[in-house]
């Protein structure tokens, strides 16, 4: 069976649409990022996000269909992220997807955003099962054991902050722009990705926990006279070297934490053949290299998606929608974001 799926994603601050075709694979992957709208607030403002989704959803979906050279009539089903995410943002994508699918007489498939990330590296790679998917972004930090398309189970998750959130919060502490990850990577490169401040690596347990790391960075800055807890002010705005050293130490610490967790997961699941590193944080070249080297030492393959498929996108939603269509797993029109 040949399917053409229109994927729609609007769970946070990206309005995205894509078309995936059984034979020709990913035909388009369009996106409007709201980063500039939220930058001045240092994080995503839900009200601004949903308003922007409303403005952009029609042109982005049109553009995805045009770039794919596919008319709405030729689409077999619409796949849409229904959860998890910001309720207002999710509502825009889900209502829009229902409306066009209903009016064009197409089927609908509700997709969990995390399933999108988990399988995002499978769009461009033939990853052997079972593999371990390390899913790290601004909203989530989890590891899954993936046994087949759509067949996966949670191995570990964060008990507090997500890894990307730690980058974003530490960046904010030092008056660096949102999102923090890319800036922190650039700064860390200027001092050679070395470990200057030896931040704590946390407990040797499977679950992730990043709030302690964030606090450790904060108190280290206070100790160095670089942060005033009373006024919540960063006091060394001109000290590029300090910012670079903090960024570098944070990144090295994060790499060590990831390796430690993967090691524990592999000990529990020796059948694992590969690691897939996905989500916004997987854009980071330093962390990609650290994990690739780690996997080489363990004789397992390491995969990551191209950067456009790491951060939130609709390509991964269309891809999951596609295999769900092949598995005849369509949804009812009463799918909800709750
Ligand atoms: O997947 P994503 O777009 O959104 C969520 O689902 O959360 O991920 C965004 C997160 C942000 O926290 C951002 O700081 C982080 O991914 N990120 C990075 C890099 N690029 C984006 N973190 C580390 N290094 C990067 N180069
Ligand atoms: Zn995401």
């Amino acid at each position: 069976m040949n399917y053409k799926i229109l994927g729609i994603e609007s769970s946070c601050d990206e309005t995205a649409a894509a078309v995936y075709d059984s034979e020709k694979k990913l035909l388009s992957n369009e996106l409007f990022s709201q980063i500039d709208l939220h930058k001045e607030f240092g994080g995503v403002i839900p009200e601004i996000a949903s308003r922007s989704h409303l403005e952009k959803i029609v042109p982005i979906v049109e553009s995805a269909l045009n770039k794919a050279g596919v008319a709405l009539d030729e689409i077999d089903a619409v796949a849409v992220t229904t959860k998890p995410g910001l309720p207002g943002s999710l509502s825009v994508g889900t209502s829009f997807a229902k409306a066009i699918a209903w009016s064009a007489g197409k089927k609908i498939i509700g997709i969990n955003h995390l399933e999108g990330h988990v399988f995002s590296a499978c769009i461009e790679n033939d990853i052997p099962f079972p593999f371990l998917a390390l899913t790290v972004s601004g909203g989530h930090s989890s590891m899954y054991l993936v046994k087949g398309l759509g067949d996966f189970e949670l191995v570990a998750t964060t008990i507090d902050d997500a890894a990307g959130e730690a980058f974003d919060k530490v960046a904010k502490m030092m008056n660096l722009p949102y999102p923090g990850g890319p800036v922190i990577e650039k700064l860390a490169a200027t001092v050679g990705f070395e470990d200057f401040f030896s931040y704590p690596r946390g407990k040797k347990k499977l679950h992730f926990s990043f709030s302690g790391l964030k606090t450790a960075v904060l108190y280290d800055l206070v100790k160095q006279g670089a942060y005033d807890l009373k006024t919540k002010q960063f006091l060394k705005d001109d000290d590029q070297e300090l910012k670079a050293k903090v960024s570098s130490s944070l990144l090295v610490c994060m790499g060590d934490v990831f390796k430690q967790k993967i090691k524990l997961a592999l000990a529990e699941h020796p059948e694992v053949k590969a690691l897939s590193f996905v989500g916004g944080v997987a854009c980071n070249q330093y962390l990609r290299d650290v994990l690739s080297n780690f996997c080489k030492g363990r004789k397992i393959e390491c995969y990551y998606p191209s950067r456009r498929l790491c951060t939130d996108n609709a390509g991964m939603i269309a891809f999951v929608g596609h295999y769900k269509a092949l598995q005849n797993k369509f949804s009812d029109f009463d799918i909800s974001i709750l």
Side-chain angles (χ1 to χ4, degrees):
M1 183 78 193
N2 190 14
Y3 278 113
K4 279 187 181 55
I5 308 293
L6 169 66
I8 295 177
E9 154 69 39
S10 71
S11 63
C12 188
D13 58 344
E14 265 100 16
T15 318
V19 176
Y20 191 90
D21 176 284
S22 297
E23 277 169 10
K24 299 176 195 152
K25 312 296 175 196
L26 197 58
L27 291 177
S28 64
N29 191 16
E30 294 299 290
L31 177 129
F32 173 78
S33 168
Q34 303 176 359
I35 280 180
D36 287 343
L37 299 178
H38 302 289
K39 233 175 192 158
E40 66 176 291
F41 306 102
V44 178
I45 306 295
E47 279 301 317
I48 296 177
S50 16
R51 184 184 293 214
S52 172
H53 284 306
L54 273 175
E55 283 169 12
K56 296 294 178 194
I57 192 118
V58 173
I60 287 291
V61 168
E62 274 176 351
S63 163
L65 291 170
N66 289 340
K67 287 237 164 109
V70 171
L72 182 57
D73 252 7
E74 298 170 83
I75 292 287
D76 297 292
V78 181
V80 62
T81 303
T82 52
K83 57 187 76 145
L86 300 170
S89 293
L90 286 167
S91 292
V92 175
T94 305
S95 314
F96 182 80
K98 282 191 200 181
I100 55 164
W102 181 266
S103 61
K106 308 296 175 187
K107 294 184 171 170
I108 191 140
I109 311 170
I111 308 286
N112 184 307
H113 179 81
L114 292 172
E115 186 166 349
H117 279 303
V118 167
F119 290 93
S120 57
C122 298
I123 302 174
E124 302 157 314
N125 303 286
D126 244 333
I127 310 183
F129 298 111
F131 66 83
L132 204 59
L134 174 64
T135 308
V136 271
S137 69
H140 355 268
S141 294
S142 313
M143 261 191 298
Y144 297 90
L145 178 67
V146 186
K147 299 174 193 162
L149 291 176
D151 182 9
F152 61 110
E153 64 187 53
L154 188 69
V155 171
T157 191
T158 180
I159 54 167
D160 41 57
D161 292 354
E165 205 177 341
F167 285 123
D168 298 337
K169 285 182 176 165
V170 169
K172 198 172 179 184
M173 260 176 227
M174 299 193 290
N175 294 338
L176 295 170
Y178 170 85
V183 199
I184 283 184
E185 181 174 14
K186 268 194 203 124
L187 280 168
T190 66
V191 287
F193 300 108
E194 279 191 41
D195 189 11
F196 297 92
F197 302 133
S198 304
Y199 297 132
R201 268 56 175 166
K203 291 193 180 131
K204 287 206 171 78
K205 292 210 168 133
L206 207 42
H207 62 244
F208 295 93
S209 166
F210 292 109
S211 89
L213 172 58
K214 184 193 65 193
T215 312
V217 175
L218 177 69
Y219 281 97
D220 198 57
L221 286 173
V222 172
K223 208 171 82 191
Q224 296 196 45
Y227 194 92
D228 183 4
L229 274 180
K230 271 199 197 119
T231 57
K232 295 191 175 154
Q233 294 280 325
F234 183 61
L235 306 169
K236 300 243 169 119
D237 236 353
D238 297 331
D239 194 342
Q240 282 303 110
E241 195 185 335
L242 175 67
K243 290 186 211 172
K245 284 181 168 174
V246 170
S247 302
S248 187
S249 307
L250 180 67
L251 209 43
V252 176
C253 177
M254 201 64 92
D256 282 353
V257 170
F258 288 170
K259 281 191 284 183
Q260 184 198 98
K261 304 299 177 200
I262 297 165
K263 226 185 262 178
L264 291 170
L266 289 178
E268 271 190 24
H269 299 282
E271 71 277 24
V272 162
K273 294 189 181 125
L275 172 79
S276 150
F277 178 36
V278 297
V281 176
C283 285
N284 192 291
Q285 191 59 47
Y286 168 81
L287 292 172
R288 286 178 177 207
D289 293 344
V290 164
L291 294 182
S292 287
N293 283 334
F294 172 82
C295 286
K296 253 185 217 145
R298 293 258 160 174
K299 298 207 167 25
I300 59 170
E301 299 288 325
C302 184
Y303 297 89
Y304 29 80
S306 55
R307 287 186 171 75
R308 204 170 163 78
L309 292 168
C310 283
T311 45
D312 287 350
N313 66 89
M316 64 187 192
I317 303 305
F319 177 75
V320 173
H322 175 260
Y323 70 66
K324 285 205 186 293
L326 288 176
Q327 296 166 350
N328 205 22
K329 289 184 179 156
F330 296 96
S331 306
D332 292 328
F333 270 88
D334 62 358
I335 44 169
S336 126
I337 62 156
L338 300 172

